[in-house]
Amino acid sequence: MLFLLVGILYLAASGRTARAHDEAATGSRFVCNAIPPGAEPGCAIPPPTGNRIQTTSVAEDELRLTILQLRETILQQKETIVGQQGTIKELNAKLARCEASADDVSQGGRARGQGSRRKEHGKNTMGDLPRDPGETIDQLGKTMQSLKGRLESLEQQLRLPSTNLSSSSGGGGLGGGGGPAVVAAAALPPLAPLPTELRELLRQRVEVLEGQLLRKVAELEEEKSQLLNETADHRQRTENTLNSLLERITELERTNNAFKSPEDFKVSLSLRTNYLYGRIKKSLPEMYAFTVCMWLKSSASPGIGTPFSYGVPGQANEIVLIEWGNNPIELLVNDKVAQLPLSVSDGRWHHICLTWTTRDGFWEAYQDGERLGTGDNLAPWHPIKPGGVIILGQEQDIVGGRFDATQAFVGEMSQFNIWDRVLRPADIIGMANCSAYMPGNVIPWVDANVEVMGGATKAPLEICEDRAFDS
């Protein structure tokens, strides 16, 4: 616009010189007037009016008046341009800070007063996001509305008279709170409207800022959704873990309620079948002597069956205690047999202990703490093989299986313990009369070490109380 006005002045001066020359040459003259912005520069020949001859003094006065008007217009436009340039610079600075706040997370907010800057503490900006995504979205919406208000106020202020703009444009015309500065209204002619280029620039900047804000809001919404999904998944995993722990605790409580202590339970095998049995989870090491003790209660006939059997690969009858048919109770070691003088088929609880050593194959049989029989030459010098399977209530034809229902134990048993040595008679008597309890150092009788199959059951038991009641 400044270049346009300079051109007009130049044309006006040129017109004055050319006028005299043209009048002298052709007897006619040109009249140059101020050209509005956007029109093509140049001089237009006025249409013939029928009175083409004017005095020289009238023409000079008209030209002088035109020059004065143009000079006044140029001064006003210059003031307007200076004010608008300062405003545009400040607006660009504000928009740049807003964009920097949206891209780079920053702390604090800034506001402008009349020609000064001050910090506002405790206010969230686009760079200082609160922890709650919903609160951040609300804050971004408020910031966008505030920026729109400031731009509208700036545009409105640029339309104010030049005198008021000059008196209040020291800081760009924006107050610290984002509103227009208070100016005194004066009845002066209004300035030209905001230039199209500036209006378009402001619109583009606002659209860019709105786009950034909308993208930021969308990102925060997506993060909020992801957080909600992750929270739901974490809650589900936590609930599943808690449910598993509760089930385990319930199971442990039920187990603790069932048995006062881990060894105070019995295994019941009520039918003579080939699918009811118990299994010891542990196996035996290699042994050169052993003691096996247990409590038995049975009234089955003929014979109580097989209270326990231990089979290893290649030898299913490594250790077996059996009463089959009308035969006496027998102890088998490496499929060698020793008949025992025991009788436990009266339906009462009896404490049974068997000892054996590889030296000369010497064995002993105890019932209710009393030694009723001894012998030797039972698989002498044969070590007990390790890595086999111990079955309660069935005789094994292969390791861990192929049971025969006619050889199954019918009754109840408890406190099945195995040691890798021969116990003293005093230890055996103490367990039989309930004055002492010794868990086996190889196979102890504990609930976690015994599993039941095929319908066999576990039940709580007080051995000594039940035995006293039976007697």
Side-chain angles (χ1 to χ4, degrees):
M1 184 178 291
L2 182 59
F3 292 107
L4 180 60
L5 294 176
V6 173
I8 292 172
L9 290 175
Y10 177 78
L11 290 175
S14 300
R16 182 178 178 182
T17 306
R19 180 185 60 78
H21 177 70
D22 292 338
E23 285 179 353
T26 62
S28 62
R29 66 183 181 89
F30 293 92
V31 179
C32 297
N33 296 320
I35 299 174
E40 292 293 333
C43 297
I45 300 175
T49 60
N51 185 13
R52 301 175 58 89
I53 300 175
Q54 296 179 358
T55 62
T56 302
S57 61
V58 174
E60 290 178 354
D61 292 339
E62 183 180 355
L63 182 59
R64 186 179 296 107
L65 178 61
T66 300
I67 292 173
L68 292 176
Q69 290 177 352
L70 288 174
R71 182 176 298 173
E72 184 179 357
T73 302
I74 289 171
L75 292 176
Q76 291 179 354
Q77 293 295 334
K78 184 177 180 181
E79 292 179 359
T80 302
I81 291 172
V82 171
Q84 289 179 349
Q85 284 179 346
T87 303
I88 290 171
K89 288 181 180 180
E90 184 174 359
L91 180 59
N92 287 333
K94 290 182 180 181
L95 291 175
R97 280 191 291 272
C98 291
E99 292 172 353
S101 298
D103 296 334
D104 302 328
V105 178
S106 61
Q107 299 291 333
R110 289 182 180 150
R112 287 173 181 80
Q114 298 293 332
S116 64
R117 295 185 178 92
R118 63 185 180 87
K119 294 183 180 179
E120 293 181 356
H121 299 282
K123 176 185 285 189
N124 289 327
T125 66
M126 290 179 293
D128 187 11
L129 300 179
R131 295 185 179 179
D132 186 6
E135 184 179 346
T136 301
I137 294 171
D138 295 339
Q139 185 64 33
L140 288 175
K142 293 178 181 179
T143 303
M144 186 170 64
Q145 293 297 330
S146 175
L147 290 174
K148 285 185 177 180
R150 290 190 179 194
L151 292 174
E152 293 174 357
S153 300
L154 178 61
E155 183 178 351
Q156 182 179 0
Q157 184 179 356
L158 288 175
R159 295 179 182 273
L160 293 177
S162 59
T163 303
N164 295 336
L165 180 63
S166 300
S167 64
S168 61
S169 62
L174 290 179
V182 179
V183 296
L188 295 175
L191 294 175
L194 195 66
T196 304
E197 295 81 0
L198 179 58
R199 186 186 300 276
E200 182 66 21
L201 177 61
L202 293 176
R203 186 185 64 80
Q204 292 176 359
R205 288 297 181 91
V206 170
E207 289 180 353
V208 171
L209 182 59
E210 288 180 350
Q212 291 177 352
L213 290 174
L214 291 176
R215 286 194 298 271
K216 196 68 175 180
V217 170
E219 291 176 1
L220 291 174
E221 288 286 355
E222 184 177 0
E223 291 179 2
K224 182 179 179 181
S225 178
Q226 292 177 355
L227 287 174
L228 290 176
N229 293 336
E230 292 177 359
T231 302
D233 294 341
H234 181 69
R235 185 184 297 110
Q236 185 64 35
R237 291 194 299 269
T238 303
E239 289 179 356
N240 293 338
T241 303
L242 290 176
N243 290 334
S244 300
L245 291 175
L246 288 175
E247 291 176 359
R248 179 58 179 164
I249 291 172
T250 302
E251 181 180 355
L252 292 175
E253 289 177 349
R254 183 170 58 250
T255 302
N256 291 335
N257 291 334
F259 313 129
K260 293 182 178 180
S261 60
E263 71 277 1
D264 287 337
F265 71 97
K266 63 182 178 180
V267 173
S268 297
L269 304 167
S270 56
L271 299 176
R272 193 182 294 276
T273 67
N274 62 351
Y275 55 82
L276 267 71
Y277 64 96
R279 180 187 178 100
I280 303 297
K281 296 180 181 180
K282 296 182 64 176
S283 184
L284 296 178
E286 185 178 52
M287 298 187 302
Y288 299 92
F290 66 77
T291 298
V292 180
C293 294
M294 72 195 79
W295 287 91
L296 294 176
K297 180 180 181 181
S298 178
S299 58
S301 179
I304 63 173
T306 307
F308 81 95
S309 63
Y310 174 65
V312 296
Q315 179 54 271
N317 296 323
E318 187 70 3
I319 305 175
V320 180
L321 179 65
I322 184 172
E323 185 183 44
W324 182 33
N326 295 320
N327 298 318
I329 296 179
E330 297 176 341
L331 173 63
L332 279 66
V333 177
N334 192 28
D335 210 20
K336 305 300 187 293
V337 180
Q339 295 184 344
L340 310 179
L342 303 177
S343 178
V344 295
S345 59
D346 56 1
R348 296 183 177 183
W349 283 105
H350 294 280
H351 187 261
I352 301 298
C353 278
L354 307 172
T355 68
W356 174 88
T357 177
T358 187
R359 183 176 181 178
D360 296 330
F362 182 78
W363 59 269
E364 297 174 306
Y366 292 81
Q367 179 174 329
D368 298 328
E370 181 181 358
R371 187 172 65 180
L372 299 183
T374 61
D376 57 10
N377 202 31
L378 177 61
W381 314 111
H382 169 75
I384 301 299
K385 297 177 182 179
V389 176
I390 302 175
I391 298 295
L392 303 178
Q394 297 286 351
E395 191 270 337
Q396 306 174 55
D397 287 339
I398 61 173
V399 177
R402 195 183 293 172
F403 306 138
D404 185 351
T406 61
Q407 297 175 336
F409 172 79
V410 180
E412 298 174 334
M413 67 177 62
S414 182
Q415 295 189 0
F416 176 83
N417 292 281
I418 299 179
W419 295 261
D420 58 358
R421 66 183 186 275
V422 175
L423 294 184
R424 300 176 304 166
D427 296 331
I428 296 175
I429 293 173
M431 289 187 290
N433 61 21
C434 298
S435 61
Y437 175 72
M438 294 176 56
N441 67 330
V442 176
I443 300 295
W445 179 257
V446 291
D447 180 29
N449 196 31
V450 181
E451 56 183 351
V452 291
M453 306 291 183
T457 60
K458 292 181 181 180
L461 175 69
E462 292 289 345
I463 286 290
C464 295
E465 295 179 5
D466 288 356
R467 186 167 180 268
F469 178 79
D470 291 339
S471 59

